[in-house]
Amino acid sequence: LADNTSKITQFFNPEYILNDYYEGMTLGEIWGYETEGFFVDQNDIDNHADQSRFNSNNAGVILPGDIKFKDLNEDGEISNGRNTVKDPGDMRVIGNSLPRFTYGFQLGMKYQNVSLSAFLQGVAKRDWYPPRESFYFWGQYNRPYSPLPTSHLGNYYNADPENPNPDAYFPRYSGLLAYSASGALAQPQTKYLQDVSYLRLKNVTLSYALPNNLIKKIAADDITVFFTGQNLFTFSNLFKYSKNIDPETIESINPDTGDEAFG
């Protein structure tokens, strides 16, 4: 079992701009917005803080079922302020992308000629926000022609007022929300921050040593038969929304292109 955190104690960033390191920063910080849910009707939209800087669709019109961010500084506008520690607008630290409490353990048993061993490893705490173009997670919220994850089916806000599905995980269906830099889903936010902790059964080996009375007949000292399996099971909350992303190799996802590692 191992754990560590790292903080910046000295770095030249006099304005404490969030796009760079700054003194006092905990490495791996994820700054983002607090998601209040979805806009429920036009009255909700009209009485909410101005969120026009973030696109909810190609037309730039906010509609019921679109993401709603919380106005943390209560200035009537959803923004990142001056994008500094002292003035982050409506952003705050919502998670940390570095792994905490990495662990691994080996189990083994032996009975007469049979031996069984297993190796498990995992990470107890880690956050991840799906990057732009992470199409295995965002599906067609990325590009309209991206694959459609099965986790999206029946799990998005329905624009039909008679069946809005207000408790859906995903917002009203609209392309490019996770592709555009100003798209509502491209903004790190609490609702879609993923728990990528995991436990993986890395290896299981079953062996059987043939009895001496058998192997002596062929003048052998020892014959053992092995059956081995690698990466047989992985338990992770991430799989609730994307079974194709490997939490163990999540750091190899390119934050700019969204190219994903999976196994």
Side-chain angles (χ1 to χ4, degrees):
L1 174 67
D3 184 43
N4 74 86
T5 58
S6 300
K7 285 197 172 186
I8 301 294
T9 59
Q10 187 175 6
F11 192 83
F12 185 73
N13 181 359
E15 298 297 324
Y16 284 72
I17 296 173
L18 296 178
N19 292 346
D20 204 347
Y21 296 116
Y22 59 85
E23 290 184 17
M25 175 185 183
T26 300
L27 290 184
E29 287 178 350
I30 300 175
W31 284 78
Y33 296 93
E34 184 173 333
T35 317
E36 284 194 291
F38 306 130
F39 288 107
V40 297
D41 53 32
Q42 190 59 47
N43 184 61
D44 188 17
I45 296 170
D46 294 340
N47 289 282
H48 186 64
D50 181 8
Q51 196 173 299
S52 58
R53 68 181 297 158
F54 301 118
N55 296 335
S56 295
N57 49 60
N58 290 338
V61 178
I62 297 177
L63 297 172
D66 289 335
I67 288 292
K68 178 169 64 173
F69 296 133
K70 188 172 183 178
D71 185 11
L72 291 181
N73 62 3
E74 299 181 343
D75 66 350
E77 179 185 10
I78 305 299
S79 75
N80 63 345
R82 296 179 61 193
N83 197 42
T84 65
V85 173
K86 293 182 179 180
D87 182 11
D90 301 297
M91 295 198 306
R92 62 178 176 85
V93 176
I94 60 174
N96 194 289
S97 63
L98 295 185
R100 298 287 309 274
F101 306 107
T102 58
Y103 60 89
F105 53 94
Q106 184 107 18
L107 304 175
M109 62 164 288
K110 183 175 182 179
Y111 179 74
Q112 295 183 352
N113 291 16
V114 178
S115 297
L116 177 67
S117 66
F119 175 62
L120 299 94
Q121 75 170 43
V123 172
K125 181 177 175 56
R126 190 178 191 184
D127 301 312
W128 176 68
Y129 191 80
R132 292 168 54 193
E133 291 212 61
S134 183
F135 57 83
Y136 279 125
F137 184 87
W138 294 123
Q140 294 173 354
Y141 287 103
N142 176 324
R143 296 173 185 262
Y145 47 81
S146 293
L148 177 62
T150 56
S151 60
H152 289 203
L153 298 175
N155 201 16
Y156 57 88
Y157 189 100
N158 194 334
D160 181 356
E162 296 183 0
N163 184 28
N165 196 14
D167 297 324
Y169 187 65
F170 293 99
R172 183 177 59 85
Y173 223 64
S174 180
L176 308 178
L177 294 188
Y179 169 73
S180 169
S182 60
L185 293 181
Q187 317 309 313
Q189 58 190 279
T190 53
K191 185 174 181 64
Y192 302 106
L193 187 71
Q194 300 300 304
D195 171 10
V196 291
S197 59
Y198 72 92
L199 169 64
R200 169 164 286 169
L201 181 58
K202 293 288 290 184
N203 175 272
V204 172
T205 300
L206 177 66
S207 62
Y208 176 71
L210 296 179
N212 289 333
N213 60 345
L214 292 179
I215 62 177
K216 285 181 179 179
K217 295 180 180 180
I218 57 175
D221 294 326
D222 179 71
I223 296 178
T224 303
V225 180
F226 293 89
F227 298 92
T228 298
Q230 303 283 346
N231 298 327
L232 297 178
F233 298 103
T234 302
F235 304 94
S236 175
N237 289 329
L238 176 63
F239 293 158
K240 183 177 182 180
Y241 300 110
S242 181
K243 296 182 182 298
N244 294 317
I245 302 176
D246 185 351
E248 184 179 358
T249 57
I250 206 78
E251 65 275 0
S252 63
I253 294 183
N254 187 317
D256 297 318
T257 66
D259 293 338
E260 293 162 294
F262 55 94

